[in-house]
Every structure is written in C-alpha cells, then in structure tokens.
Amino acid sequence: MDFKAEKIIDTPSTRLSITGMTCAGCVSAVETALASVPGVTQASVNLAERTAMVQGEVNAGLLKQAVQKVGFNAAVMQGRAAEDEKEAHEQAQAKQLWKRVWVAGIPGALLFLCGMVLDILPDVDGSGRWFWLFVGVITFIVLIYSGGHFYRGAWQQLKRGSSNMDTLISLGTGTAWFYSMLVVLIPDTLPSLARHAYFEAALIIIALVSFGHALEMRARSRTSEAIKSLMNRQPPTAHVIRNGQELEISLEEVGLEETLRVRSGETIPLDGIILEGQSRVDESMLTGESVSIEKSEGDSVTGGTLNGSGSFLMQVGHIGADTVLAQIIEMIRQAQSSKPPIARLVDKVASVFVPVVVVIALFTFVLWYWLGPEPSLSYAVVTAMTVLVIACPCALGLATPISIITGVGKAAQSGILVRNGESLQSIADVDIIVLDKTGTITQGKSTLNVTHAADTTTENRCLQIAASLEQGSEHPLGLAIREASSERGLKELACSGFEAIAGHGVQAELEGSTWYLGNTRMMAQIGLSLESWESALSELDQHGQTPVFLADEHSIHALFGVADAIKEDAKTCIRALQQQGLEVIMLTGDRQQVAEHIAQQVGIKKVYAEVLPAGKSEVIAGLQESGHKVAMVGDGINDAPALALADVGVAIGAGTDVAIAASDITLIGSSFSGVKKAIGISKATTRNIRQNLFGAFIYNSLGIPVAAGLLYPFTGILLNPMIAGAAMALSSVTVVMNANRLMLLDIK
C-alpha cells in the first residue's frame, strides 16, 4: 500500500475539549464565540463529543478565552495523553452523574411514594408546617448538590443575555421549589386549593435529567470506537537498533531514519521502508481488506498495521503527527466535527428555541391563571413548569452530530476517509459516477509491449532516447518506457530544457536536437504526418494499447505500444454501481479506440476520451448543468481540477497527493470498490439523521402542547412534570441509541 499521508490535512487546525455544554443552544454560543477570534476561518462544535474543531492560524489561548467568555471551559486536545485525560474526565463525570441521580432520586421517590401513593404526609398549611419547612431545606441542599451545575450554567448564560438547556431546567425546578416554599411559609397568600408543595417534582426532575445524561454518556462512548481502535493500534514501544545494540524504547523517543526491528506477530510501530527481510503484512485496519500483503526489501510499511510470520528491519520515514495513522485519525476527527447542510439548519433553529420555549411557558402560565379552573394558580405553575422541562432541546442538538460521528467511524473502519459531513451527505444523492481510466480502472502501472522503429533508427536507440526524455516525468507511460530501457541495460542520456505538456507529452533537448515523446495530439501540434504509421496505430488500437510517438523536429522515429492492465475487481465494482441505478462513465485523456476497448471489457457504455485536464472539468460541469449529481473518481494530478469541481470528489489513496488534497473522500488503497460502500454508508447515515431529527422535532412539537394542557379540556388529564422530565431524558438516549445502530449495519 502506497498511501500518501502528507497532504490529507492541508489546513492548520486546533481541537478543543469543551466542558459545560448541554444542548444545541450551547453549540451555537460556542461556535459564534470561536468564529469571532481573529485568524479563525471555520469553527465547528460537536455536542456529541463535547469538542470543537477550529480551522486557521490562531493562538490557542485566545480560543480558550473566547469559550470562557460565553460560560464554558476549553482545553487544547493534542496527542494521546490529552485524549486519555479527556476520557478519564468523562468517566469521572459519569460517576458523579450517577451519584447525583441517587442523591436526588431517593428522597424524591420517597416523597412521591409517601405523599402521592400512601398519602401519609401531613398537610402543608396545618400542623405539618415545620415538617415541610425541613423538607424544603433538605430539598434545597440536594438541588444544589445534584443540580448545581444547571443553576450555575443558567446564571452564566443570563449574565450574557442568552439561554440554553440549563435555563429551562433551572426555571422549571426553581419554580417548583420557590412555589413550594411560598406555600409553606405564607400559605394564607394563596387560595386553599392551590396550597400544594412540589418538592418531589423538583428532585425527581433533576434525578431524571441526570439519569438521561448518564445513559447518554454511556451510549455516546460507543460512537468513538473507530477512533479508539485506531489509536490503540500503535504500540507504546519500539525495538530500535543503535550502535549495534537492540533497545526497547518508547515510541516518542524514536527519531527519523532510525532502524527498527519488527518481529513476527508484532504491530509495526511507525511508517518506513523495509531494509532487510520479508513478511506478509495485515493492513486491514487501514484498508478494510482482510488479505495480507507480501512485503520485502524496499517496500513501504505503515505504522499500526500487523506484521505476519516474517521478521524484518525497517528505516523510519515518518514519526508523530506525520504518520499515516496520525493523519487518518486527524482527518476522521475533522470529519466527525464538521456539519452537513442539514445540521446548520438545525443550529439556526436551536439558537432561538430556548427563548421561544420560555415565552410559551409564560403564555401557558398566564392562560391557565386567567382561564383555568380552581386552583388556577396551581395549574398555571404546574403547566408552565412542565413546558419548560419537556421542551429541552438536548435530542435536537445530538440528532445530527451523533450520526455523523458514527457514520464517519463506520466508513473509516472500511478504509474510507471522509473529509467532512457535507461530503458524507452529498454522495448519497449522486446519480453519475465518473471514473478516470489510468490508475483507477487500470492498475496505473503500464508496460511496454510493442516497439515500431523507423528504418533510420534502431529499436534500442529509440528506446534509449525515449527513456532519457522521461527522466523528469512521473507519468505511468513514461515510467513503463524507462523500466523497459533499464531492463535492456540501456544508459539514459543527459537532457536539458525538459518540459511536460499536459495532455500531450514531453519534450527536451538531447545531443543538440529537440526531441518529442507524446501522443497523436503532440505530433499534430509539431506538424508531423501520421500517414505512414496508420497501420501500426490500428494494430495497437485493436489490442487496447496506448500509442506513444518518439520524434524530432523533422520526423517520427518510433511508435511504442504501452498497455495498462485492468484491475482485477474493476468489472465487479462497476457492475455493482450500475446495479444501484448509477450511470458509470469513463473519462480519460487516452485515445478513443483504447478507451473504448477498456470500457467494453469492464462494462462501461459511455466514454469521454482524448480529454485534456481542463476538458475533464468541462465534462463534469456539463453533466452538472444537465441536472446530475456527479461523483468523480481519480488518482492523478490531471484529475485534481475535476475532483474539486465534482459534487463529490473521490481519490484513490494510492494516487497523488494533489488528487487526495482536492478530493472530498479518500479510498485507502488502490481499488475504487469503496465507492459503493461509501454510498451505502452515506445513505444509511443520512437516513439515520433524518430519523433522529424527525423524532426530536415530533417530540417537541407534540410534547409542548401536551405539557401546556392541550388534552385537559378533552380528557381532564395534565402531564405530570416528573413524566415530562423522564420523557426529555429518554429522548436524548433514544437519539444516541438510534445512531449506534449504524455500527451494526452490514454495508457491502
């Protein structure tokens, strides 16, 4: 596997751990604060992970200050130690949540059981006044311990003129406690029928909300399994050879170009090149393919992959953040933190949701107080409190990011790296797949099969000149000619003035003359006739071989036939895409006859051939103008403009850095079989997001009117605030559990 790590992440980024966020309103506040910091080009906050990904050259201290100003805390996430610290903090937080559940839930349940079920508690306004005063004090202490973070968060938001979930919980439970204390301390100010304490409601609501958060945290931990499994693949130590001795040292101490020994069954610690020995390497953690790959001297190996039965020495090529594994993890994190278009719409709704709910609660209170039956004040308090509790937008804030995290992680486990959430959403909508030929459908490793030399020049002399002209090129056709020349023992000649002409070929000065090596377009450009070569050209076309001409300023000296073998799984992959109802098109700069020969073999009906790099973009634009959603799959530098222009650009991971940098999705390895799976994961993730959003919106759309008492005129039933608290807590858990179903799907 020759995966390019250096260009995956081309924008400086800072990852922050954010503490104190509870709902979509918090996300909006933190994103706005981070976006206002000078140097930030984009800020994306993930409620599910409680993290933020900030793009741009910016001081981390300024980012933390901006977050603190809106009432939250931030810490820079860098390296494995920071991840471990965050995980340890979340585990401690989970334990604390469970304590809060029990401390608030037990007394709340006892009060509810004794008062509402057994009816053994004294009256509030009678001889039991001192009992209820004691209960009120104990309830206050419990609320401060179990729900203090809600009240502190609400106060911080109030000071800044904003609101979030803490605001709703604090208003709901605070109203219940203050009203109950009013009943206990000055009962005569209230109508006799309205003299009822709601201490148990305040306690149980806090307990249920904390219970929901604890369950949500436990369920959320599963969504990061893809990242955790990748991070755990890198061993903590390596066997380094120094001064003839083998030492076992920590991975952080290993330097570039050091020699490491990798034994049978060990995980390869870092990226590098095999110096001595051979083995079979299991790269399934990167590619998703279970078949191990033969590796020997000179082959590249990737840190985190598993060595087989052999043992070898390797030279370290990348360390730290420059390794393939580190770059993949960083790319996955950026994708998981990004937002698809549907999430941005949700954020806009969430930013005004809490203030709207507060207004609805006030309106509900006034309406019940004026028009409700006696005790109208009691009804008004209960309904307003229930609206505040049930309307909490936790599920709304989690609906999209939790699915994105899971979907991106699922893709990564299959060797598919998604650059952002928008790409994950977009590929589900494509109806045309455009495939480059060389390196995508074919292996990208051409071989020289035929040489037709003119009578004036020997075959070896032509091959020697052609190979010399290609010294400065990395084109597959040129590499094939150089390999053939090397195999014959021909020495390359000194050239000057090398120039690569995109879509045509190369030219250079050699032995006082200008020489050209290229296709029919180049021959036409320099004014040379192909008439005497028509028969040889026709023969090459019939066998699907690409013609390459060698010429000087006066005449053509040779015609080379170069062929590129079709990848073993190309036909199967194309058929699978077509069975999904997608139109598959080939787009190549090669000759029409060669392209059609390849297309016929793999089952492609529509071919655009002899297309220059700029022309590839024009083809993509034309398809888009016709109303199509286009995914472009390629691996070369000449594919980069088309990859960038397509609705979704998909790069083959074994291709060039430029192609990978221009793409939205990267397939690790050399096969494009991941395209079908990427579409399947995209559709499943998009469907999951819509299910979550539908559930969250329906929950709030139905829950708020019911909490406000819509059913009371028809049934005489009001929703209990405690039931509202339970429903709110379980809505978040339901969203997270639904997202986790993505990990269980068998997408092929």
Side-chain angles (χ1 to χ4, degrees), residues 71 93 530 632 730:
Q93 190 178 19
L530 300 178
M632 169 71 190
L730 290 174

Side-chain angles (χ1 to χ4, degrees), residues 729-740:
L730 290 174
S731 66
S732 298
V733 177
T734 301
V735 163
V736 177
M737 291 177 66
N738 184 53
N740 279 328

Side-chain angles (χ1 to χ4, degrees), residues 329-401:
I329 290 172
E330 181 66 13
M331 187 174 180
I332 294 171
R333 288 205 183 283
Q334 288 196 14
Q336 290 181 335
S337 298
S338 64
K339 295 178 183 292
I342 195 171
R344 300 190 191 103
L345 175 62
V346 172
D347 287 347
K348 290 179 180 178
V349 173
S351 65
V352 298
F353 189 82
V354 173
V356 169
V357 170
V358 173
V359 171
I360 293 173
L362 289 173
F363 179 75
T364 301
F365 179 89
V366 172
L367 195 65
W368 274 94
Y369 184 71
W370 280 352
L371 305 177
E374 291 298 332
S376 61
L377 179 59
S378 183
Y379 280 122
V381 169
V382 170
T383 52
M385 179 171 53
T386 307
V387 167
L388 290 169
V389 172
I390 202 169
C392 179
C394 307
L396 195 62
L398 287 169
T400 300

Side-chain angles (χ1 to χ4, degrees), residues 555-569:
S555 63
I556 297 173
H557 291 264
L559 170 61
F560 303 103
V562 182
D564 186 2
I566 297 172
K567 291 180 180 178
E568 292 182 3
D569 63 347

Side-chain angles (χ1 to χ4, degrees), residues 502-521:
H504 290 73
V506 299
Q507 69 178 60
E509 299 292 327
L510 190 150
E511 297 179 347
S513 301
T514 301
W515 287 85
Y516 303 88
L517 186 70
N519 54 25
T520 54
R521 284 191 296 269

